[in-house]
Amino acid sequence: MTTAGDLIVIRPKRFELPMWASVLVLVLRWLARGCWWCLRHPVTVGLVVLYADYGWAGLVVPLVLASVVSALWRWRDEASWWRWCAGPLLGRFRQVFVYRRAWREAMTLCGLAETYDHRTVLPELLRVRSDQALDVLTIRMVRGQTPADFQRVTANLAYAFGRRHARIYSERPDDPPARTGYWALLLGWLDRVRFRDRPTVVYLVVVRTDALRPVVAPFDAPAVPDLTALPLARREDLGIWSLHLLATHVLIGGATRSGKGSVLWSLVRSLAGGITSGLVRLWVIDPKGGMEFAMGRPLFARFACKSFDAMADLLDEAVTVMRERQTRLAGTVRVHTPTEADPLVVVVIDEMAALTAYLQDVDLRKRIAGSLGLLLSQGAGVGVLVVAALQDPRKEVLPFRDLFPTRIALGLTEAAQVDLVLGDGARNRGALADQMPRWAKGVGYVILDGTPEPMRVRFSYVTDDHIRELAQQYPAPADAADILAQVGRESTPEPVRPALPRQRRGPLLPDALRNILDADGDESR
């Protein structure tokens, strides 16, 4: 008999899978895993089949033939050999024997392991791609993580895997290749899948072999410079870093003896063909008395190195060129296209702080700052560009630092200066410009187009002999200074300026109070 207080337990009928069905499911599952493993390891499966059919000869002969073919391939085209043969093999080897062995320990000690439902969850290593100098690790983040979590521990990850340099990219660091030929359409669709946006994935680039230790030889000066891609430096992946100079200003920050001259002279060398043809005019300011640029004087349309008045005049005339072009091009184009009749004017300033902070003449310093502010805010679109180098990037030294769209950070003395040059968070993203070793002259960090992550590069070293040869082979035209007037001079007296009429100032006191005071004065008399 059941009463109201009794507890009734109702259990649903359980469905019991027959034993043969359970065994069948397990077998199919194991077969699927085995087939997937064979598809992922075709070389291993092939070697096993050859050994089973032909014994040791089935292993030795294919390996010898593969070695010969690989050697010939590398001899004929080393770049494609690394891309399609050596890179994948080396990446797979390092994934299994280097990174997976230390993966759990590295992720845990670097603070990237998470705990969920009383178990540890680790980021997943999906793939390792290698080339001559780098290992690119594709990592799937734990749900809830962001690339910023990995960027904060970039240095820890590098040392965890036994290397000194590493960087985190939120997007794939290499660009899709340009496809041509019959298979271009199909390969293009495959590239769209390979290079698709993957928000849950980050890329850890580990510098396995530092390709920036050797000194970089100067690049050949092109006859017609490509102002959107001027080769200046070697990247750490052995590629060439090119500067997009058109319609931008460039700021170079670096401590003393960090290699700022390498950046400036690499730029001058890349522009040499345009200088001698009249496509580019260099207006150079060297506040150090010409110690840096006097050797290349024939290359420059304007040059000032001793008189600060001449430097101020040069900047004023650059503003005049800018105003004239604005008047002429307004309503026609939005970005100036350089021609020999209307050339690109590049104002190169070495040690810019000498003009903006350390100049004792206050009026002259304000005049220079006013001209620079106008050039930086309005000159890029009309082809009047500024390339400046300085040691101290603080705001009080360079108040218009934010007006430079393109920035290069060489060796710096303080960690905070890295973010001042490259932007907030650049050091957390891997730009360790304050930790440059002693040999790293001309090594710096740049921001690649379209990505916020910095890239480490080394600029070419242009010797004194290279500069003399450059000045002899690529001199500026005789009329290079004639843009608005013949101003090819070292120093100029202060131009005669008409005195402005001084307006008579009104009384400082109100009329009513002034009348009362006048009346009191009359009574006292």
Side-chain angles (χ1 to χ4, degrees):
M1 180 177 181
T2 304
T3 62
D6 294 340
L7 178 62
I8 301 177
V9 179
I10 301 176
R11 294 181 179 177
K13 184 177 180 180
R14 296 180 58 185
F15 175 76
E16 296 183 357
L17 189 68
M19 180 61 68
W20 64 268
S22 301
V23 173
L24 179 60
V25 170
L26 291 176
V27 170
L28 292 176
R29 182 179 180 183
W30 292 337
L31 287 176
R33 287 187 175 183
C35 293
W36 178 244
W37 188 91
C38 293
L39 291 175
R40 294 184 60 187
H41 305 83
V43 177
T44 304
V45 174
L47 292 176
V48 171
V49 173
L50 290 175
Y51 178 75
D53 292 342
Y54 303 101
W56 287 107
L59 296 179
V60 174
V61 174
L63 290 177
V64 171
L65 292 177
S67 300
V68 173
V69 173
S70 176
L72 291 175
W73 188 359
R74 182 178 184 182
W75 174 57
R76 298 295 296 178
D77 190 355
E78 185 174 3
S80 64
W81 178 77
W82 270 105
R83 182 176 182 83
W84 299 107
C85 180
L89 291 177
L90 180 60
R92 183 59 181 172
F93 175 83
R94 293 185 60 81
Q95 178 179 354
V96 174
F97 295 100
V98 176
Y99 295 107
R100 284 201 183 279
R101 294 181 61 182
W103 189 253
R104 186 178 187 86
E105 181 182 2
M107 293 296 104
T108 303
L109 296 181
C110 291
L112 296 174
E114 303 292 343
T115 302
Y116 174 73
D117 197 15
H118 304 290
R119 63 187 182 91
T120 302
V121 183
L122 300 176
E124 183 181 356
L125 178 60
L126 301 178
R127 183 187 178 190
V128 177
R129 294 183 295 113
S130 299
D131 57 19
Q132 299 98 313
L134 307 177
D135 290 338
V136 182
L137 284 67
T138 304
I139 304 172
R140 178 179 288 122
M141 298 179 290
V142 175
R143 191 179 299 273
Q145 288 183 337
T146 64
D149 297 327
F150 286 78
Q151 290 168 353
R152 283 193 291 267
V153 294
T154 301
N156 306 67
L157 290 171
Y159 282 91
F161 296 118
R163 295 293 181 261
R164 294 187 180 275
H165 303 285
R167 252 166 306 288
I168 291 292
Y169 291 87
S170 56
E171 298 180 0
R172 187 161 176 160
D174 52 345
D175 298 324
R179 301 295 187 182
T180 57
Y182 295 105
W183 300 95
L185 181 61
L186 177 59
L187 295 176
W189 281 101
L190 293 177
D191 289 338
R192 292 184 62 179
V193 176
R194 291 173 54 208
F195 292 87
R196 68 187 185 278
D197 185 23
R198 304 174 68 183
T200 61
V201 169
V202 294
Y203 301 89
L204 172 63
V205 178
V206 180
V207 181
R208 188 179 68 253
T209 301
D210 198 346
L212 302 184
R213 275 188 171 271
V215 176
V216 179
F219 299 98
D220 295 334
V224 180
D226 183 359
L227 299 176
T228 61
L230 297 172
L232 300 188
R234 177 188 295 163
R235 298 172 19 165
E236 58 188 358
D237 59 357
L238 297 179
I240 303 300
W241 181 74
S242 299
L243 172 66
H244 188 293
L245 182 62
L246 195 63
T248 189
H249 304 293
V250 182
L251 177 64
I252 306 162
T256 304
R257 312 301 298 174
S258 62
K260 295 188 294 296
S262 296
V263 184
L264 295 173
W265 279 112
S266 296
L267 175 61
V268 173
R269 185 178 180 87
S270 296
L271 294 172
I275 292 173
T276 192
S277 67
L279 183 67
V280 179
R281 307 283 174 88
L282 290 185
W283 292 14
V284 178
I285 296 176
D286 188 356
K288 295 187 295 185
M291 291 300 297
E292 183 65 43
F293 284 104
M295 194 175 297
R297 179 64 182 90
L299 295 162
F300 312 139
R302 294 291 310 280
F303 183 64
C305 65
K306 296 178 182 179
S307 171
F308 286 100
D309 289 327
M311 300 176 193
D313 290 344
L314 186 151
L315 294 174
D316 288 343
E317 291 171 11
V319 173
T320 305
V321 174
M322 180 189 71
R323 293 298 192 198
E324 186 272 338
R325 289 185 176 176
Q326 287 176 337
T327 303
R328 177 163 44 88
L329 300 177
T332 305
V333 296
R334 292 189 299 171
V335 178
H336 170 263
T337 301
T339 62
E340 295 181 6
D342 200 13
L344 180 73
V345 178
V346 183
V347 182
V348 180
I349 306 174
D350 189 23
E351 299 299 342
M352 192 175 187
L355 305 180
T356 60
Y358 307 143
L359 183 59
Q360 296 182 356
D361 190 333
V362 178
D363 294 334
L364 193 59
R365 187 169 70 240
K366 290 181 178 179
R367 177 183 161 196
I368 291 174
S371 298
L372 283 173
L374 290 173
L375 291 175
L376 291 172
S377 60
Q378 305 176 26
V382 294
V384 182
L385 311 180
V386 177
V387 178
L390 81 166
Q391 299 183 28
D392 190 351
R394 290 177 300 172
K395 200 73 172 180
E396 54 267 25
V397 176
L398 187 63
F400 25 75
R401 182 186 65 236
D402 296 335
L403 297 179
F404 287 91
T406 303
R407 306 182 192 180
I408 300 170
L410 300 173
L412 297 168
T413 57
E414 300 177 6
Q417 292 180 351
V418 180
D419 291 345
L420 293 179
V421 175
L422 296 179
D424 291 341
R427 192 178 187 280
N428 288 336
R429 294 192 296 269
L432 303 179
D434 58 308
Q435 298 182 6
M436 288 291 186
R438 289 177 295 177
W439 58 265
K441 307 298 182 183
V443 177
Y445 290 89
V446 298
I447 302 296
L448 299 178
D449 293 337
T451 62
E453 291 83 6
M455 167 68 74
R456 195 167 64 107
V457 301
R458 184 164 192 172
F459 293 88
S460 62
Y461 177 57
V462 183
T463 64
D464 293 350
D465 293 336
H466 290 139
I467 296 174
R468 295 188 186 96
E469 181 182 357
L470 206 64
Q472 183 178 3
Q473 292 183 0
Y474 301 96
D479 60 344
D482 284 327
I483 293 185
L484 293 181
Q486 181 65 33
V487 288
R489 54 187 180 268
E490 157 52 33
S491 60
T492 58
E494 182 71 11
V496 178
R497 306 180 188 278
L500 297 177
R502 298 176 60 87
Q503 297 181 357
R504 185 175 180 274
R505 295 183 178 180
L508 299 178
L509 299 177
D511 292 340
L513 181 60
R514 187 163 55 85
N515 293 334
I516 294 175
L517 293 177
D518 291 342
D520 292 341
D522 293 340
E523 293 177 357
S524 62
R525 286 196 298 269

